[in-house]
Each structure stands twice: as C-alpha cells, then as structure tokens.
Amino acid sequence: MSLMLFGDKSLDLSLPHVMGILNVTPDSFSDGGSFSSLDSALFQTQKMIREGASIIDVGGESTRPGATPVTMSQELDRVLPVLEAIKERFDIIVSVDTSTPEVIRESATLGAGLINDVRALERAGALEAAAQADLPICLMHMKGVPQTMQVKPDYSSVVADVSDYLMSRVVVCEAAGVERSRLILDPGIGFGKSLEHNLVLLSHTEHFKRLGFDVLIGVSRKTMIGDVLNLPVDQRLYGTMGANAAAYTKGARIFRVHDVKPHVEMLELMSRIEREV
Ligand SMILES: Cn1c(SCC(=O)Nc2ccccc2)nc2c(=O)[nH]c(N)nc21
C-alpha cells in the first residue's frame, strides 16, 4: 500500500490508475452543438467514471505545438464551471491542468484533487499558490514553449537532463513549502522531444521511480505513436496501450489517456499478474 491523498480522496499508488482526459477547449466540442459544452463534458465524465477512471483531467489550455496562448479569464471560464459541476454530481478526483496561479487557487477552493502543471510551477506565483493549495502536484518536464518546442529538440542525455530538471523543481518546491510526498513526476512525452527522446524516456521510466516519486505518463494518441506506426490520431489506441503497458512494467502508476475502458482492463490484468507471488 502506498496511499496518496488527492483532496478528500486517496489512491493506493502501488496499483495502476487511469486518468481520463476531458478536453474543455471549445474546439473539442464539434458535436454540432446538440449539447451545451457543459452537458457534453458531464456526459464524457460520467462515461469515463463508469469505465473505471480514478481521475478526470480537466484542462482549459491547449498545449499543442503552435496553439494560441489562452488568457487567464478564458482558462478560468473553461475550467471552473466544469470542475464545480463534476464535484456536484460525481464522487471522483478531478485533476486540473494549469500553470496559472489564480486557476490553481480557485481550483483548490472548488475541490480539485490534483494540480497537473505542464510547466512544473515555473510561472510567477504558481509555487506559492501550489504551496497554499495543499494538493498533490504533478511536475511535468517541457523543453521550451509549445509554439517552438518541437523544432530540433536536443539533449546531452535526455534521461539525465529531464530528471535533473525535475529534481531541481522538487528542491524549489520543498523550499516553498510543498512537501516532497505531494509530488508526482512526469517526463512530459512529446513536450520538446524527438521520437528517440520519447522512446528513451519511456524505456527509463524506472529512473524516475527510483528517485522516490510516483510517475505519471501521458502518451495517449500522441505523435510518437503516429511516428512509430504511421497512423492518424484516431487509430493510435493499440500503440498507446503498448506504450502504457511498457511504462507500467517500468513503474509508472498513473496513465493519462483518452480511452479509459481499454486501459482499465489492460492494467487490471497486468497488475493482478505482477502481484502474484
Ligand atoms: C495536459 N497534458 C498533456 S496535453 C498534450 C496532449 O495530450 N497532446 C496530444 C494529444 C493527442 C494527440 C496528440 C497530442 N500531455 C500531458 C502529459 O504527457 N503529462 C501531463 N501530466 N499532462 C499532460
């Protein structure tokens, strides 16, 4: 048992957990407007919970390469109503993707269970907001900024560089009053990495585990799967499952995915077999 508190709930992170992706950026609701985007978000959320998700990940900012930056008020308007509505209706941990101090603060007040920051609390004020929020924080590595991070990314040693960076953020967090036991590490697959860099990071997932932290992996449907299999984004489920299975065998325990049911069932068998003496 290795319990971690996520707001008013806790998870045993000796077991694998699926984090279902809920996109609330307006372009993600191209359902012809039959539902309001909130109805659609709640419907998706209910489906992912029924399929076995432990966490619902809500993000108001698209971090795709070339994505236009979102204003703070846009982020607040997209995330907070959905967070509130989910907390009212469901008993589930809600993770909020944000790098913005005000969103961290408001989300904590409204009952978020995890802050998922692709910028590892680098933004001015984010560290202080996170320290006050008293929530678990996922620190993810990103090299550069979304607009340009995929232009010839280069590392002397990608595993060492990424883990050195994340450990430097851990030190800064501890100095700001964020206990190490609240921190989850994430190598940031696809955020300023070549295909080779992504494959090496996944192959060395254990390295981050051995640093003494739980590891979150977000590889679902990403370009690296497309690069390996030469498949479009809507045909990357099996490749995604293979990548997550490999990361599981190397110690990852939280998996950020679009397809909840396949992963819940895959990880149920993997964890049952791995635990058999
Ligand atoms: C918010 N967020 C994202 S968004 C990027 C994305 O899904 N792109 C994408 C999705 C589908 C297809 C192509 C690209 N990725 C991570 C991650 O890997 N780890 C953590 N912790 N948070 C994350």
Side-chain angles (χ1 to χ4, degrees), residues 143-156:
K143 189 175 180 79
V145 295
Q147 287 72 15
T148 56
M149 62 190 177
Q150 287 309 111
V151 178
K152 291 195 75 52
D154 184 41
Y155 299 81
S156 50

Side-chain angles (χ1 to χ4, degrees), residues 63-64 97 116 118 138 140 186 189 191 216 218 220-222 233 256 258:
T63 53
R64 304 257 167 106
D97 291 349
N116 179 29
V118 298
C138 180
M140 194 199 82
D186 181 334
I189 298 299
F191 285 90
L216 190 156
S220 185
R221 300 184 184 173
K222 284 188 176 175
V233 64
R256 181 178 178 273
H258 301 84

Side-chain angles (χ1 to χ4, degrees), residues 19-23 44 48 55-57 220 256-258 260:
M19 172 191 269
I21 298 169
L22 182 64
N23 269 321
Q44 270 188 71
M48 293 191 284
I55 304 170
I56 302 294
D57 194 41
S220 185
R256 181 178 178 273
V257 303
H258 301 84
V260 172

